[in-house]
Amino acid sequence: MTDRLQYGTTAKLLHWLVVALLVVQYLIGWLMPDIHRGPPGTPMTMHISFGIVILLLIVLRLAWRITHPVAPESSLPAWQRLSSEAMHWLLYVLVLATTISGWLFASFRGWSVSLFYLIPLPMLSGENRAAGRFIDGWHQAMEWSLLVLIGIHVLAALAHLFVYRNRVMHRMLPG
């Protein structure tokens, strides 16, 4: 167990960068035109590009968390510590799975994709329309599941701030 009680600057920066990029991702995803027609246009390229950036950041965040653990808030009841830990790991898994499934979807569609039109990205598989439809369904289910978990996470953080009036949320706030 670690003696560190606060998240450091790097952990906070990675957390809030992922938060900001997820907001961008959901906005692009909801506002882009029907993606099932033709090759990807600019909105899809941006969606894929931000997804790859999120994938890289979440891998860095996960590595940072493993190598720089922070002790759970000792004032919390055991069930809150356990549910908090489970929620964080579920968020990591879902962000990883959602971003990878999006990249797989593009690969199954046979799309040539790049990172912000600058760096070509490798295909994770060959073109396969049936697999593309399947993975698209999973990608959408994970998007909604992730959104629900994010909502629960935010509500829990706000409950600690306004209801329990403890310092749990302050551990991740800047400053």
Side-chain angles (χ1 to χ4, degrees), residues 33-102:
D34 184 13
I35 63 168
H36 299 286
R37 291 176 279 154
T42 299
M44 180 54 76
T45 299
M46 293 297 108
H47 186 68
I48 293 168
S49 295
F50 283 118
I52 297 301
V53 172
I54 291 168
L55 176 61
L56 295 172
L57 288 173
I58 206 68
V59 167
L60 283 173
R61 182 152 162 56
L62 185 56
W64 190 264
R65 180 178 175 140
I66 291 168
T67 59
H68 297 80
V70 174
E73 180 64 45
S74 60
S75 65
L76 297 179
W79 73 269
Q80 284 185 5
R81 287 194 304 271
L82 179 63
S83 61
S84 170
E85 191 72 13
M87 173 61 78
H88 287 106
W89 288 108
L90 280 170
L91 285 167
Y92 285 124
V93 167
L94 261 180
V95 170
L96 284 167
T98 303
T99 55
I100 291 169
S101 69

Side-chain angles (χ1 to χ4, degrees), residues 94-139:
L94 261 180
V95 170
L96 284 167
T98 303
T99 55
I100 291 169
S101 69
W103 194 350
L104 268 172
F105 172 72
S107 297
F108 285 139
R109 291 295 303 253
W111 293 342
S112 174
V113 294
S114 64
L115 186 64
F116 300 108
Y117 293 108
L118 299 173
I119 302 167
L121 299 173
M123 303 291 279
L124 299 181
S125 71
E127 187 172 348
N128 182 331
R129 295 283 180 182
R133 283 188 298 277
F134 175 78
I135 202 72
D136 183 37
W138 275 100
H139 183 63

